[in-house]
Amino acid sequence: MTPKERVLGLLKKEKIDRVPCFSGMGNVTVEGMKKYNIKFAEVHKNAEDMAKLAASTYKLYGYECAVVPFDLCLEAEALGSEINWYAHVEDNILYPTIKTKLVKAGDEVNIPDDLEERGRLPMIKEVIGLLKDDIGDEVPIGSYVLGPFTLAGQIMDLNELLKISFKRPDDVNRILTGLVDVATRVAKLEKEAGADYITIREMGAPSDVISPRMFKTLVQPHLIKTIEGIEAPRILHICGNTNPIVELMNECGADAISVDQKNDLVQTRQKIGDDTILLGNLDPYNVLVQGTVQDVENAVKDVIEKGVNGIWPGCDIWPDVPPENMKALVEATEKYGKLS
Amino acid sequence: MSEDKKKELLEELKEGVINYDEERVKKAAEEWIKNGFDANEGIFEGLAAGMEVVGDLFEKNEYFVPEVLMCADALYAGLDILRPHVKIDESKERLKGEVVIGTVEGDVHDIGKNIVKLMFETAGFTVHDLGKDVPLEKFVEEQMRTDSDIVALSAMMTTTMVGMKKVVEKIKEKNPNVLILLGGAPLSEDIAKKYGADGYAPDASNALSEALRMVSTLREMKKKGEI
């Protein structure tokens, strides 16, 4: 099977030969940057370099996907936020961030009619097209959008957003309803450009930040609408403590759910049953970057035993990952992931 | 009579913070001053005591970030009223130490950092807050400028946590006696140690107790002439 058949087969719940080793989030590496002489701070606005770098983790290690973009500012930028690219930082890898908040917390968010023409959205379309031409026959192309609550935290002050979520939930509900449209429109653009699967990243809503009660009343309804509005397959990802909300995540209607290393997989399986495709949990820093080859192999074996359906790191892979660990990740998946 | 009133108002300050009731805290703080009670006692036995309970509730997953932020607002409302009445020499006596605090470059999340700052300030530390998305050199410069005992660094994401290692190295290179405290969601005791930090705190109340422990160790060493 090709990586594409394997990944899409998994997400469609078809029979596949082994669990795939892939992700819906960041996976570019310093090795890839070296290979093409690309600087991380400059890649976000260069379609050709972005496509090359996105494909490099597959080409170097056989990692079974290519995912764009690499940062989390795409939607906020298209809505009008100014972005800090950290172009001045020479010796450090920094992800772009949002310089100033677009609107005052609680205020109406103006969603432009020509959203798809703004910021880097036209460029992302081009990048996905380039990736399709390059490796798209055999490798699945992934893309992602932010969940409405997380996006709200990008465009308005997070402190204030969290407080008004408590004090004036009706205002927040209205804002999030608008942002569902942003998420589904961006996902549609990515899909039409050729993305094979979309991850919805709602990392602003784990139980280390908001209560499960607030998740249920304020976040979940908008996630359900977002997922409804995106063509399958869709993966819902939340990092941090998801133990109290994993059942609510499962009710959102995604084709798979993704969690990070704080999730207790065994308990999660008991709660959500065997039907749901469960991804993640593998620690992208402590194991993949800080660990040895043996640690990586053990972690792969461990998460498969505990019930994940794919080897998929719990968050973006830190680019400085040692090459031998990336190799070990893919090889251990081949070794322990056979399905008969 | 006055003791009863005092007790009653301390309870009001504390409960006002716990129940994120700014008005209740303001009213109690004003009455506290009107009665001529000691401002410092009101801050420590009332407001800070309330925030301590908030920390416990957060740890027990009864409170989450929005609740804690609202409690912090209530505490600040009380602090604004009480602080101008703190007697100068008394405040000096209570001075615990100086801290440089900030969120590392690339990270724009400052909620955790702000809560830690609040705990430090309430406990009597002098805090030099560099804000969020702070370039590495800024921490080094600010520590040198203020001769602070502690540098407290926060990171919310793995992608920015890794930058902490360099900050720790740079600060220690310039001044090996500075104590460095790390905190933030992706961190652990283990990583903090690997990065060469002196302390690690999983949350704000632990950050305060860890800072107090670090400062007393520092004072001991200074007394013994070890540094």
Side-chain angles (χ1 to χ4, degrees):
Chain A
M1 288 185 114
T2 65
K4 187 174 179 174
E5 288 165 341
R6 193 172 291 122
V7 165
L8 296 183
L10 168 75
L11 295 172
K12 283 183 205 151
K13 295 187 180 174
E14 290 167 1
K15 204 170 152 47
I16 49 173
D17 56 349
R18 66 161 167 82
V19 303
C21 181
F22 75 121
S23 169
M25 298 178 282
N27 58 65
V28 298
T29 66
V30 169
E31 290 303 308
M33 293 174 216
K34 277 192 216 154
K35 183 178 158 108
Y36 296 110
N37 197 19
I38 290 170
K39 282 194 180 132
F40 193 65
E42 288 165 9
V43 75
H44 311 289
K45 287 185 281 187
N46 182 324
E48 275 176 35
D49 279 356
M50 188 184 264
K52 270 190 227 160
L53 190 56
S56 69
T57 316
Y58 166 69
K59 290 181 182 171
L60 284 165
Y61 307 108
Y63 195 66
E64 296 176 279
C65 65
V67 179
V68 287
F70 306 146
D71 66 305
L72 302 167
C73 302
L74 201 64
E75 297 94 328
E77 186 192 10
L79 288 172
S81 300
E82 208 186 321
I83 307 301
N84 190 354
W85 306 99
Y86 298 101
H88 61 285
V89 178
E90 279 291 325
D91 54 345
N92 229 347
I93 289 175
L94 292 176
Y95 286 77
T97 56
I98 291 149
K99 259 188 197 161
T100 43
K101 297 295 180 174
L102 193 64
V103 294
K104 205 171 141 272
D107 281 3
E108 216 58 55
V109 183
N110 176 36
I111 299 162
D113 290 337
D114 61 345
L115 182 76
E116 287 80 357
E117 302 303 319
R118 299 208 174 210
R120 284 173 295 151
L121 288 177
M123 188 199 102
I124 284 299
K125 222 162 114 179
E126 188 191 338
V127 177
I128 293 173
L130 289 169
L131 277 169
K132 274 302 219 207
D133 292 344
D134 184 15
I135 53 171
D137 288 341
E138 67 223 66
V139 182
I141 313 297
S143 194
Y144 53 78
V145 293
L146 294 183
F149 191 74
T150 305
L151 179 55
Q154 296 270 55
I155 57 176
M156 51 189 71
D157 182 76
L158 189 56
N159 290 270
E160 293 304 317
L161 173 68
L162 290 172
K163 283 190 273 186
I164 62 169
S165 295
F166 205 96
K167 294 177 186 167
R168 289 151 45 205
D170 291 348
D171 285 352
V172 177
N173 259 319
R174 207 186 54 242
I175 293 162
L176 295 183
T177 303
L179 295 181
V180 168
D181 272 350
V182 176
T184 52
R185 282 171 68 179
V186 172
K188 187 165 181 243
L189 172 138
E190 292 166 344
K191 267 273 174 185
E192 283 174 358
D196 296 299
Y197 59 99
I198 303 287
T199 305
I200 296 100
R201 303 178 71 167
E202 190 67 296
M203 63 266 259
S207 303
D208 337 55
V209 181
I210 60 170
S211 65
R213 201 172 347 114
M214 188 182 278
F215 183 85
K216 188 178 166 70
T217 55
L218 200 63
V219 179
Q220 195 200 32
H222 302 287
L223 275 177
I224 292 173
K225 289 225 175 69
T226 303
I227 290 164
E228 261 173 21
I230 299 174
E231 198 191 315
R234 306 137 302 188
I235 301 102
L236 172 62
H237 170 78
I238 300 180
C239 35
N241 177 15
T242 46
N243 290 316
I245 53 166
V246 76
E247 285 154 298
L248 297 171
M249 284 173 72
N250 193 34
E251 290 166 9
C252 286
D255 304 282
I257 59 175
S258 157
V259 293
D260 81 2
Q261 56 278 11
K262 284 193 182 172
N263 187 278
D264 183 329
L265 283 184
V266 175
Q267 272 192 32
T268 290
R269 262 297 172 223
Q270 280 167 5
K271 287 178 195 162
I272 64 173
D274 293 331
D275 285 347
T276 301
I277 297 171
L278 181 62
L279 302 166
N281 189 256
L282 196 127
D283 192 324
Y285 184 71
N286 291 297
V287 172
L288 268 185
V289 179
Q290 297 273 315
T292 60
V293 164
Q294 191 59 52
D295 291 334
V296 174
E297 187 172 328
N298 292 346
V300 168
K301 195 167 166 242
D302 181 57
V303 293
I304 290 175
E305 278 171 7
K306 286 179 177 159
V308 298
N309 303 99
I311 293 301
W312 157 301
C315 193
D316 295 326
I317 296 179
W318 178 244
D320 217 359
V321 56
E324 62 273 20
N325 284 5
M326 279 307 290
K327 249 181 89 197
L329 184 73
V330 174
E331 283 171 8
T333 310
E334 287 163 0
K335 184 169 162 190
Y336 297 108
K338 289 198 182 70
L339 301 165
S340 47
Chain B
M1 189 59 198
S2 153
E3 273 308 305
D4 281 354
K5 186 74 191 166
K6 202 180 212 180
K7 232 175 127 187
E8 180 200 315
L9 288 177
L10 280 181
E11 197 57 24
E12 279 298 294
L13 288 170
K14 187 177 155 185
E15 286 298 314
V17 169
I18 297 170
N19 294 298
Y20 37 86
D21 190 339
E22 280 181 52
E23 290 312 311
R24 192 169 165 190
V25 172
K26 273 188 204 162
K27 214 176 133 224
E30 274 156 10
E31 235 182 294
W32 182 266
I33 296 301
K34 229 185 270 165
N35 276 277
F37 297 140
D38 174 41
N40 244 321
E41 194 181 341
I43 295 174
F44 287 96
E45 309 298 323
L47 299 176
M51 204 61 194
E52 213 169 292
V53 176
V54 173
D56 284 346
L57 290 170
F58 182 73
E59 224 166 309
K60 279 192 228 145
N61 287 331
E62 280 181 45
Y63 272 14
F64 297 85
V65 178
E67 290 89 330
V68 175
L69 288 173
M70 291 188 294
C71 295
D73 280 354
L75 191 148
Y76 271 122
L79 216 50
D80 283 346
I81 295 167
L82 296 179
R83 200 178 262 159
H85 297 275
V86 174
K87 294 186 195 91
I88 300 299
D89 48 336
E90 202 180 345
S91 80
K92 224 176 207 169
E93 203 180 31
R94 296 223 182 213
L95 207 71
K96 297 258 172 35
E98 296 203 23
V99 187
V100 172
I101 193 168
T103 303
V104 295
E105 185 163 36
D107 211 317
V108 292
H109 300 87
D110 62 354
I111 292 179
K113 187 266 296 167
N114 289 341
I115 302 281
V116 173
K117 176 189 169 191
L118 170 69
M119 302 292 264
F120 282 170
E121 281 181 331
T122 318
F125 281 90
T126 304
V127 183
H128 307 282
D129 183 9
L130 294 175
K132 54 191 172 187
D133 198 11
V134 181
L136 192 159
E137 313 80 51
K138 275 292 258 193
F139 286 101
V140 183
E141 281 165 23
E142 187 69 2
Q143 190 283 322
M144 304 269 279
R145 191 184 72 76
T146 59
D147 195 29
S148 289
D149 312 291
I150 296 178
V151 178
L153 305 170
S154 157
M156 186 60 200
M157 303 178 297
T158 312
T159 51
T160 50
M161 172 185 79
V162 294
M164 285 177 152
K165 192 165 178 241
K166 270 190 194 143
V167 186
V168 177
E169 277 167 17
K170 275 271 156 61
I171 296 170
K172 291 275 181 189
E173 198 182 288
K174 296 269 183 192
N175 186 351
N177 297 328
V178 182
L179 298 170
I180 299 176
L181 178 63
L182 304 184
L187 278 121
S188 66
E189 183 111 51
D190 204 36
I191 295 177
K193 213 175 273 170
K194 270 188 194 154
Y195 285 5
D198 303 278
Y200 155 74
D203 56 44
S205 37
N206 280 299
L208 178 59
S209 51
E210 186 71 3
L212 290 169
R213 186 192 64 74
M214 285 162 63
V215 168
S216 75
T217 317
L218 186 75
R219 298 272 149 91
E220 277 301 304
M221 286 166 77
K222 274 186 179 156
K223 225 187 267 171
K224 286 186 197 153
E226 286 173 15
I227 51 172

